Amino acid sequence: MSEIRAELKYLSSHEWARVEDDGTVTVGITDHAQEELGDVVYVETPEVGSEVNAGAEAGVVESVKAASDIYSPISGEVIAINEALEDAPETVNSSPYDDGWFYKVKPSDVSELDAHMSADEYKAQIEE
């Protein structure tokens, strides 16, 4: 069974968002998504300093099974990317919520996250 963390917000396209103590938002894909993808072999993240828009494509994750677009859960400036994924994309499989995060955003409007699913709502979606 996939791990679903209560403190995160979820998109129906299987990205998660976590508001950090400093007000930034960290983005990755869910445990369920990495299980469905299989072995992740490549991650393309947005560039630091670029702007992402809520609901728009912000990157790509490729596995041995498929390539999938990554959609941003929030609008804002990308302030960091997980450079470790360049050399070790499989980290997404082993630690999707901790070491396998994709990028961090300085949000332009953190209330955009209110439109996304809670852990219980996401759990209901993946159990359908």
Side-chain angles (χ1 to χ4, degrees):
M1 182 169 197
S2 300
E3 178 184 3
I4 300 171
R5 293 190 175 178
E7 74 275 19
L8 304 179
K9 288 295 209 172
Y10 297 90
L11 276 70
S12 59
S13 51
H14 307 290
E15 292 82 2
W16 57 260
R18 178 178 53 230
V19 179
E20 306 293 349
D21 291 340
D22 63 1
T24 62
V25 175
T26 304
V27 177
I29 64 169
T30 66
D31 190 34
H32 175 77
Q34 69 81 22
E35 288 175 356
E36 291 294 309
L37 284 168
D39 295 336
V40 173
V41 296
Y42 176 75
V43 176
E44 179 183 306
T45 57
E47 291 185 23
V48 172
S50 66
E51 295 286 326
V52 291
N53 295 306
E57 293 178 25
V60 174
V61 59
E62 291 183 22
S63 72
V64 294
K65 291 183 181 176
S68 298
D69 292 327
I70 302 301
Y71 296 94
S72 186
I74 193 158
S75 301
E77 178 186 356
V78 176
I79 58 169
I81 61 169
N82 189 350
E83 295 178 1
L85 296 181
E86 191 171 310
D87 293 328
E90 66 275 11
T91 305
V92 175
N93 295 113
S94 61
S95 182
Y97 297 116
D98 296 313
D99 297 333
W101 59 275
F102 285 9
Y103 61 94
K104 295 179 185 281
V105 175
K106 180 180 177 184
S108 55
D109 181 4
V110 75
S111 71
E112 289 178 338
L113 293 178
D114 295 341
H116 301 311
M117 290 184 283
S118 67
D120 288 342
E121 291 167 328
Y122 182 69
K123 181 178 179 184
Q125 176 190 294
I126 64 174
E127 289 178 346
E128 287 180 358

